[in-house]
């Protein structure tokens, strides 16, 4: 399918989602740098083409083809292309989790990370797609469902989205389990770096632990 790429701010407010039955899907791009916005609902962004930076309020992350970013509601974010004149394009899905099928709640019981995410403990999650681009293929199917709007497409879209979210949390959980343990010097270095970046405000131990994906007890 040939899909028009929209030059968009990648921001969708609650009123916009209400008009679209609680979810929206498009193929969008940022030409250079978007103005930071606060997400009204959950944003699932799949990096389709290009290299750039995903900026949160207190952190920056390099992203490229195949990176998946799940942004929680209420989080401040923006994207920036790092190649002059080359857009950073995404498959973007914005949704209100209350409008998903009941089965989506099984995700929160299956993965600790998803429970923390949906309870707003994480501002975002970033993970890379499989070698076979499974999530990319799901995002394209979601885009097809949304664009063509065939009979009963809303239910089909919501169910496919639950499958995509399940796959994403499987990838994220697996990546965390397989991540090589850091030695004490690396942990201390990461703590110091985070504190230095936020030197003009108070940082709690819980906040630092969440950012490093560690327990407060381990850092102490």
């Amino acid at each position: 399918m040939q899909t028009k790429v929209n030059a968009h701010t990648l921001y969708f407010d609650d009123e916009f989602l209400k008009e679209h039955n609680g979810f929206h899907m498009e193929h969008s791009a940022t030409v250079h740098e978007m103005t930071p916005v606060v997400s009204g609902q959950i944003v699932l962004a799949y990096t389709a083409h290009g290299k750039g930076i995903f900026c949160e309020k207190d952190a920056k992350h390099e992203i490229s083809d195949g990176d998946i970013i799940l942004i929680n509601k209420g989080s401040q974010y923006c994207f920036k292309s790092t190649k002059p004149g080359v857009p950073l394009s995404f498959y973007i899905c914005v949704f209100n989790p209350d409008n998903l099928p009941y089965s989506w709640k099984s995700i929160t019981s299956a993965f600790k990370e998803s429970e923390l995410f949906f309870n707003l403990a994480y501002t975002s999650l970033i993970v890379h797609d499989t070698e076979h681009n499974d999530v990319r293929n799901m995002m394209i199917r979601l885009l097809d469902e949304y664009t063509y709007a065939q009979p009963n497409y809303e239910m089909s879209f919501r169910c496919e989205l639950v499958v995509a979210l399940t796959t994403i949390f499987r990838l994220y959980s697996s990546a965390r389990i397989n991540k090589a343990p850091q030695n004490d010097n690396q942990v201390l270095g990461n703590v110091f770096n985070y504190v230095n970046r936020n030197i003009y405000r108070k940082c709690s131990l819980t906040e630092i632990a969440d950012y490093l994906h560690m327990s407060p007890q381990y850092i102490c």
Side-chain angles (χ1 to χ4, degrees):
M1 169 184 169
Q2 291 287 329
T3 307
K4 181 181 179 182
V5 179
N6 300 312
H8 204 284
T9 60
L10 306 186
Y11 171 70
F12 312 87
D13 60 23
D14 289 341
E15 288 303 317
F16 179 88
L17 277 191
K18 285 179 182 178
E19 294 173 4
H20 293 77
N21 300 314
F23 58 87
H24 175 70
M25 184 84 194
E26 68 177 48
H27 189 185
S28 293
T30 58
V31 177
H32 181 52
E33 183 174 8
M34 61 180 280
T35 302
V37 296
V38 176
S39 58
Q41 292 295 342
I42 296 174
V43 179
L44 170 56
Y46 185 100
T47 313
H49 302 287
K51 291 186 177 182
I53 298 174
F54 164 55
C55 303
E56 299 183 273
K57 187 176 181 181
D58 299 315
K60 293 182 179 180
H61 313 272
E62 293 184 357
I63 55 174
S64 58
D65 296 18
D67 283 332
I68 305 158
I69 307 103
L70 196 60
I71 306 167
N72 222 330
K73 57 184 178 181
S75 302
Q76 180 177 298
Y77 71 97
C78 69
F79 293 103
K80 175 183 178 181
S81 173
T82 51
K83 288 188 174 182
V86 179
L88 182 63
S89 69
F90 300 91
Y91 295 115
I92 292 281
C93 179
V94 188
F95 63 94
N96 181 342
D98 294 336
N99 289 345
L100 291 177
Y102 178 77
S103 58
W104 82 270
K105 294 183 178 179
S106 64
I107 300 176
T108 60
S109 61
F111 304 102
K112 179 182 178 181
E113 292 81 4
S114 63
E115 181 181 6
L116 290 170
F117 181 84
F118 286 113
N119 287 327
L120 306 181
Y122 294 159
T123 57
S124 67
L125 299 178
I126 304 175
V127 70
H128 196 73
D129 201 357
T130 67
E131 60 178 328
H132 300 297
N133 296 321
D134 292 330
V135 178
R136 181 190 183 96
N137 294 333
M138 292 178 193
M139 296 296 281
I140 292 173
R141 287 199 295 271
L142 284 168
L143 185 59
D144 284 350
E145 284 286 346
Y146 189 83
T147 302
Y148 290 121
Q150 294 293 314
N152 204 34
Y153 84 96
E154 292 181 357
M155 179 56 69
S156 178
F157 182 97
R158 290 173 176 135
C159 291
E160 182 74 25
L161 180 54
V162 169
V163 175
L165 290 170
T166 300
T167 303
I168 290 167
F169 281 111
R170 282 176 180 170
L171 289 171
Y172 187 77
S173 298
S174 177
R176 291 195 62 184
I177 291 171
N178 295 329
K179 186 177 180 181
Q182 297 178 331
N183 60 42
D184 291 342
N185 288 335
Q186 288 176 307
V187 172
L188 283 174
N190 289 333
V191 170
F192 287 142
N193 287 337
Y194 185 82
V195 172
N196 284 334
R197 288 200 302 270
N198 299 275
I199 196 167
Y200 295 110
R201 67 179 185 85
K202 289 184 178 181
C203 297
S204 68
L205 178 60
T206 301
E207 176 189 343
I208 296 171
D210 286 344
Y211 177 77
L212 298 176
H213 303 302
M214 295 177 177
S215 68
Q217 294 79 8
Y218 182 83
I219 293 177
C220 292

